Amino acid sequence: MRKLTVVLVVLIALLQYPLWLGKGSWLRVWQYSQQIEAHQKRNDYYRQRNETLRAEVRDLKQGQSAIEERARSELGLVKQDEVFFQVIQNKSSASKSHTDAAAKPTDAAPVIPAQPSQ
């Protein structure tokens, strides 16, 4: 009877080995599920980024307003007979709230007009 018990315990242990430590073990399934979640999050990020880029390309192909906006923001271009004003804020006033900046006009940055392009 004692030998039969030992044999059954060994047999059960051998059957449990693949479940816990083998090729298709619970540990590997958990690791794979974690990797799948990480890849899905990354794919969602790239899917959203690609959609944003597609929309930007579509805007650039279809309309002049997107091209004009890019030229203004990235290259600093202005239209003919247009006056460009640039507002420069102090570092200390940029962190304050809008009401604080309005209350103290001496903290406001000067407005510098640019010459119109010809």
Side-chain angles (χ1 to χ4, degrees):
M1 189 66 153
R2 181 85 172 146
K3 289 182 184 182
L4 182 62
T5 304
V6 171
V7 169
L8 288 175
V9 168
V10 170
L11 185 62
I12 290 173
L14 289 175
L15 290 173
Q16 291 290 316
Y17 175 79
L19 179 65
W20 298 103
L21 303 172
K23 189 174 183 177
S25 67
W26 288 106
L27 181 61
R28 285 200 184 190
V29 169
W30 181 78
Q31 288 172 345
Y32 290 148
S33 68
Q34 295 296 318
Q35 288 177 358
I36 288 171
E37 287 179 23
H39 286 292
Q40 286 175 342
K41 287 179 184 178
R42 189 170 30 190
N43 287 345
D44 290 340
Y45 166 76
Y46 285 129
R47 203 172 283 121
Q48 182 181 9
R49 189 179 109 197
N50 286 344
E51 187 56 38
T52 303
L53 291 173
R54 277 190 202 100
E56 187 174 341
V57 167
R58 201 176 320 117
D59 287 343
L60 289 172
K61 284 183 178 180
Q62 291 178 355
Q64 293 294 327
S65 63
I67 295 171
E68 183 179 323
E69 179 185 342
R70 273 220 150 152
R72 287 173 178 275
S73 65
E74 293 179 8
L75 302 175
L77 299 178
V78 293
K79 290 182 180 179
Q80 189 173 359
D81 298 330
E82 185 178 57
V83 178
F84 175 69
F85 294 94
Q86 183 177 11
V87 178
I88 302 172
Q89 294 182 339
N90 296 336
K91 290 182 182 179
S92 62
S93 66
S95 63
K96 292 180 181 180
S97 69
H98 180 66
T99 57
D100 289 345
K104 296 182 181 180
T106 57
D107 289 345
V111 177
I112 304 169
Q115 297 296 325
S117 63
Q118 297 175 354

